[in-house]
Amino acid sequence: MNQQDIISQITQQKMLPLYFNKNKEVSIEVLKALYAAGIKAVEYTNRGAEAIANFKEMRKVVNDTMPGMLLGIGTVKTTADAELFISAGADFIISPVVYPPVAKVVQDAGLLWIPGCLTPTEIFTAEMNGAKMVKIFPGSVVGPSYISAIKELFPGILFMPTGGVDTTEKSIKEWFDNGVCAVGMGSKLISKSVLENKEYDKLTKQTKEVLEILNNIK
């Protein structure tokens, strides 16, 4: 899939679940639970030494049993990590910061780069380095009204907040009313309890409920 295809899949889904767990089996089971709910794009985060080994196993599972699933990697800050996960089969790369050398590595590989931004200067720098979508992080710091305040400055950019997005209809609707194209869903959806107690059926149920809320948003 090309960059626009991946953007389309994320924006059609309207959310991007993201998580990390040191345990390979837990990481895979969470992925299966999300897929069972109808999720077709996931961000696994590079937040531990186990991330690359886990990601490689998750990639195998996706290739073998999850047609249509896009598996991206987040928290990529260096060119070395970008190259490592690209070689492991990442479909897209998400960074918590705007670092042009990472943008170049990702885009030279033909992949979608989604940087994390907060200020207008960071968004502009991301745009000048080829970003078509940015992650507003942490969204909890600025809130939904921030999107509508800056959106007109960047008509060519899509906004996806991460952090500060709850699983309630009220929270989700407020973000979309202010102009986001999708929302990142981390611990509010894939909670510590789900991971520690292996509540995979509960995760599938909750994810379906969130997707229903998203599908009803105009």
Side-chain angles (χ1 to χ4, degrees):
M1 299 179 81
N2 62 34
Q3 293 184 35
Q4 190 55 52
D5 291 335
I6 293 170
I7 288 173
S8 295
Q9 191 145 316
I10 293 170
T11 55
Q12 285 169 15
Q13 185 169 282
K14 296 183 181 175
M15 81 156 163
L16 188 65
L18 58 125
Y19 71 101
F20 168 76
N21 192 270
K22 292 181 179 181
N23 185 284
K24 177 183 70 178
E25 285 73 26
V26 170
S27 296
I28 290 170
E29 290 303 318
V30 167
L31 191 65
K32 288 179 178 177
L34 293 169
Y35 189 74
I39 292 294
K40 293 293 182 68
V42 168
E43 173 193 346
Y44 192 65
T45 55
N46 179 33
R47 295 197 178 177
E50 303 84 359
I52 184 61
N54 290 355
F55 187 87
K56 287 178 178 177
E57 291 304 312
M58 293 164 71
R59 179 78 262 175
K60 290 177 186 174
V61 172
V62 168
N63 290 348
D64 291 344
T65 65
M66 299 181 185
M69 172 67 95
L70 296 175
L71 182 60
I73 185 72
T75 321
V76 173
K77 298 180 288 184
T78 67
T79 56
D81 280 346
E83 289 165 353
L84 185 65
F85 282 97
I86 288 168
S87 68
D91 289 311
F92 56 92
I93 304 281
I94 297 182
S95 300
V97 295
V98 181
Y99 186 47
V102 167
K104 186 176 189 309
V105 167
V106 175
Q107 291 166 352
D108 283 352
L111 299 183
L112 178 66
W113 171 63
I114 305 174
C117 302
L118 199 60
T119 68
T121 298
E122 290 169 347
I123 297 165
F124 177 74
T125 303
E127 186 175 35
M128 290 300 98
N129 282 276
K132 299 175 178 67
M133 175 186 286
V134 299
K135 176 175 79 167
I136 298 298
F137 175 80
S140 56
V141 172
V142 292
S145 62
Y146 180 70
I147 303 297
S148 60
I150 63 168
K151 196 171 186 297
E152 289 186 6
L153 298 173
F154 306 101
I157 293 289
L158 297 169
F159 294 89
M160 178 176 65
T162 299
V165 184
D166 210 337
T167 56
T168 65
E169 182 176 2
K170 180 179 183 296
S171 174
I172 292 168
K173 189 174 187 301
E174 191 173 9
W175 281 104
F176 277 89
D177 284 348
N178 278 278
V180 305
C181 71
V183 291
M185 286 268 184
S187 59
K188 298 286 188 182
L189 178 67
I190 308 165
S191 66
K192 186 176 180 181
S193 172
V194 163
L195 295 172
E196 289 184 350
N197 300 318
K198 303 180 179 180
E199 299 167 335
Y200 306 126
D201 289 344
K202 178 181 176 182
L203 175 58
T204 296
K205 180 177 180 292
Q206 289 176 334
T207 304
K208 285 180 177 178
E209 290 169 356
V210 172
L211 284 173
E212 186 174 355
I213 291 170
L214 289 161
N215 287 335
N216 289 331
I217 288 174
K218 305 301 180 187

